[in-house]
């Protein structure tokens, strides 16, 4: 297995179109790193540069301490799993998995041993004589992963491998790939636009936007300590709520004023935001940090906001209330006992100890 390093990497297409800007990333040996971001953010391009399928315009990429800028993909000792499986339809599962090893002139006994080991790990031993067309989407993806496993590469690269599967199968394959990483103890780089995949699978997450790396951190830190408003809004489901307003101060009291409501800040948050008094800011609050006042009778009245319910989603174990303050829309994740209907007025409590604040000009986190 191997450490993968990107140093000041750029990808510039003809017409001076820059797809990846100054990417710097260090992926440790045996680490599972997920590149996540919206379509067109440069995550797949970054992965393809590591694989050697895209030329590097500027910068350097190292695999296991060796600079690979000018080394062809077949000599980089990596294995890639694609979104569309890329299986040979006329070959059996066994031959699909063995094909790469046959090209490299491995002995037949070694090929058979590796294919059978991978098939057992992935639970596809019973399908080895079938053709890909006789398999489900999840089974085909297992075959594609098996073809990578038999190579025993220094690093595995996954390019949105689950996006063609249905929701239930995606959850199952997510768990399978995570278990595979734990079993193989291998370096894995995984690209997805699905932030739930990123949060549940990665040791670390790399959030990208418009070709720029926005933040690199553990899933928990990305969620609780986003570097900017984009990261805060992209990670989390339902997404973080944002309220535009300003910080106001009266004597020793510090508050956030949206226009239709004002909520008090307290403790360390108040101390830090006092320096921004009079400034326009955006406040962020996750849905789970907004609750019905009826469920929080002891709540500070200075953190209570009145709103009108616009949509109610019953999720079984909880309810999503989509409401409007008259100026801002927000989502609250409340208890399943909630009986609010569309058009009702609701009083909600903002947990201001969990609030985030972002600069109006560049969206950077202020706390």
């Amino acid at each position: 297995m191997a450490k993968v390093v990107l140093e000041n990497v750029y990808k510039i297409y003809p017409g001076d179109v820059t797809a990846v800007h100054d990417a710097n990333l260090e992926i440790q040996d045996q680490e599972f790193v997920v590149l996540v971001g919206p379509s067109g953010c440069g995550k797949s391009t970054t992965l393809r540069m590591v694989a050697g399928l895209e030329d590097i315009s500027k910068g350097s990429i190292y695999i296991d301490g060796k600079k690979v800028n000018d080394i062809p993909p077949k000599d980089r000792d990596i294995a890639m799993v694609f979104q569309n499986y890329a299986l040979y339809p006329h070959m059996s599962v066994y031959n699909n998995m063995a094909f790469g090893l046959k090209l490299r002139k491995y002995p037949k006994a070694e090929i058979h041993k590796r294919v059978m080991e991978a098939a057992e790990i992935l639970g596809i031993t019973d399908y080895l004589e079938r053709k890909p067309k006789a398999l489900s989407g999840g089974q085909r993806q297992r075959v594609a992963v098996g073809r990578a496993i038999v190579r025993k590469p220094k690093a595995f690269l996954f390019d949105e491998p689950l996006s063609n599967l249905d929701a239930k199968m995606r959850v199952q394959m997510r768990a399978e790939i995570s278990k595979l990483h734990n079993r193989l103890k291998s370096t894995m780089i995984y690209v997805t636009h699905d932030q739930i995949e990123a949060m549940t699978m990665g040791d670390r997450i790399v959030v990208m936007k418009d070709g720029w790396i926005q933040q690199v951190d553990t899933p928990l830190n990305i969620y609780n300590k986003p570097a900017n408003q984009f990261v805060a809004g992209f990670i989390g489901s339902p997404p973080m709520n944002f309220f535009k307003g300003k910080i106001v101060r009266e004597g020793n009291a510090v508050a956030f004023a949206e226009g239709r409501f004002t909520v008090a800040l307290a403790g360390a948050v108040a101390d830090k935001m006092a320096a921004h008094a009079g400034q326009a800011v955006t406040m962020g609050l996750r849905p789970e940090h907004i609750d019905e006042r009826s469920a929080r009778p002891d709540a500070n009245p200075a953190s209570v906001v009145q709103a009108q319910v616009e949509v109610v989603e019953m999720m079984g174990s909880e309810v999503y209330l989509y409401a409007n303050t008259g100026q801002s829309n927000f989502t609250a994740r409340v208890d399943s006992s909630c009986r609010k209907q569309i058009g009702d007025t609701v009083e909600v409590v903002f947990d201001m100890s969990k609030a985030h604040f972002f600069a109006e000009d560049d969206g950077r986190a202020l706390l």
Side-chain angles (χ1 to χ4, degrees):
M1 302 310 156
K3 181 178 180 179
V4 179
V5 178
L6 284 71
E7 288 184 355
N8 308 115
V9 172
Y10 285 78
K11 179 59 184 178
I12 305 171
Y13 289 106
D16 201 28
V17 176
T18 304
V20 177
H21 300 259
D22 196 22
N24 288 278
L25 183 61
E26 205 168 280
I27 299 167
Q28 301 301 323
D29 182 27
Q30 301 185 15
E31 189 175 22
F32 195 131
V33 169
V34 180
L35 308 184
V36 67
S39 297
C41 72
K43 56 189 185 295
S44 289
T45 302
T46 301
L47 191 77
R48 289 173 66 83
M49 285 192 287
V50 174
L53 301 177
E54 292 277 1
D55 293 331
I56 302 163
S57 303
K58 296 181 189 177
S60 301
I61 295 179
Y62 299 86
I63 298 176
D64 198 19
K66 184 177 181 181
K67 188 173 179 178
V68 297
N69 288 34
D70 301 318
I71 295 178
K74 66 184 180 65
D75 297 326
R76 294 193 182 193
D77 200 8
I78 55 90
M80 192 158 178
V81 179
F82 297 93
Q83 175 181 345
N84 61 357
Y85 319 134
L87 301 176
Y88 296 105
H90 63 287
M91 291 185 183
S92 67
V93 167
Y94 184 98
N95 287 327
N96 263 285
M97 293 171 66
F99 185 69
L101 299 180
K102 290 178 180 178
L103 287 180
R104 289 169 175 78
K105 309 296 184 183
Y106 277 77
K108 284 186 177 180
E110 178 66 15
I111 292 173
H112 182 73
K113 177 186 175 185
R114 290 195 184 192
V115 170
M116 297 308 293
E117 283 178 351
E120 185 178 349
I121 289 171
L122 294 164
I124 55 174
T125 306
D126 294 339
Y127 311 131
L128 290 176
E129 298 308 315
R130 294 188 190 181
K131 298 286 179 62
K133 67 180 180 181
L135 304 177
S136 68
Q139 290 165 346
R140 291 180 195 179
Q141 196 55 274
R142 282 189 175 88
V143 176
V145 172
R147 185 175 54 191
I149 290 175
V150 298
R151 293 265 311 279
K152 298 186 178 178
K154 290 180 178 176
F156 290 88
L157 311 182
F158 295 86
D159 190 7
E160 305 208 36
L162 309 185
S163 57
N164 287 340
L165 305 180
D166 61 48
K168 183 178 180 181
M169 184 57 67
R170 279 202 303 272
V171 173
Q172 184 178 338
M173 283 301 298
R174 223 162 53 205
E176 292 293 332
I177 292 173
S178 293
K179 286 192 290 186
L180 185 65
H181 174 251
N182 290 331
R183 182 166 181 172
L184 298 179
K185 300 297 181 186
S186 52
T187 305
M188 292 187 176
I189 309 173
Y190 188 103
V191 161
T192 181
H193 63 274
D194 186 336
Q195 50 92 15
I196 295 177
E197 280 182 26
M199 289 291 292
T200 55
M201 297 175 75
D203 297 324
R204 284 190 302 154
I205 298 174
V206 181
V207 183
M208 297 185 70
K209 177 191 178 188
D210 298 334
W212 294 93
I213 292 178
Q214 303 291 306
Q215 187 172 357
V216 183
D217 214 328
T218 63
L220 198 59
N221 281 344
I222 290 276
Y223 190 80
N224 292 325
K225 301 175 182 178
N228 56 45
Q229 188 174 335
F230 172 78
V231 174
F234 189 81
I235 298 295
S237 180
M240 183 180 285
N241 301 296
F242 295 114
F243 305 88
K244 290 186 176 295
K246 65 179 181 178
I247 300 298
V248 295
R249 185 170 186 172
E250 293 183 5
N252 292 326
V254 182
F256 171 78
E258 179 240 25
R260 294 299 186 97
F261 69 82
T262 299
V263 285
L265 309 185
V269 174
D271 294 339
K272 291 179 180 178
M273 293 308 297
H276 299 278
Q279 294 180 14
V281 298
T282 298
M283 180 179 76
L285 203 59
R286 294 203 181 276
E288 61 266 31
H289 299 144
I290 303 176
D291 206 352
E292 282 190 280
R293 188 179 190 182
S294 58
R296 297 275 303 278
D298 58 340
N300 181 355
S303 63
V304 174
V305 173
Q306 192 173 85
Q308 186 174 41
V309 177
E310 295 187 331
V311 176
V312 180
E313 289 184 349
M314 306 294 293
M315 306 300 292
S317 61
E318 58 194 3
V319 173
Y320 295 166
L321 288 182
Y322 297 82
N324 188 288
T325 66
Q327 180 172 312
S328 303
N329 295 307
F330 68 88
T331 306
R333 179 183 280 169
V334 302
D335 190 78
S336 59
S337 61
C338 174
R339 293 295 178 265
K340 291 296 181 182
Q341 302 293 322
I342 295 173
D344 288 352
T345 297
V346 62
E347 285 192 328
V348 293
V349 177
F350 284 8
D351 184 349
M352 296 305 294
S353 67
K354 303 293 176 59
H356 300 260
F357 292 93
F358 306 97
E360 186 181 40
D361 54 355
D362 59 6
R364 71 187 184 283
L366 296 175
L367 292 178

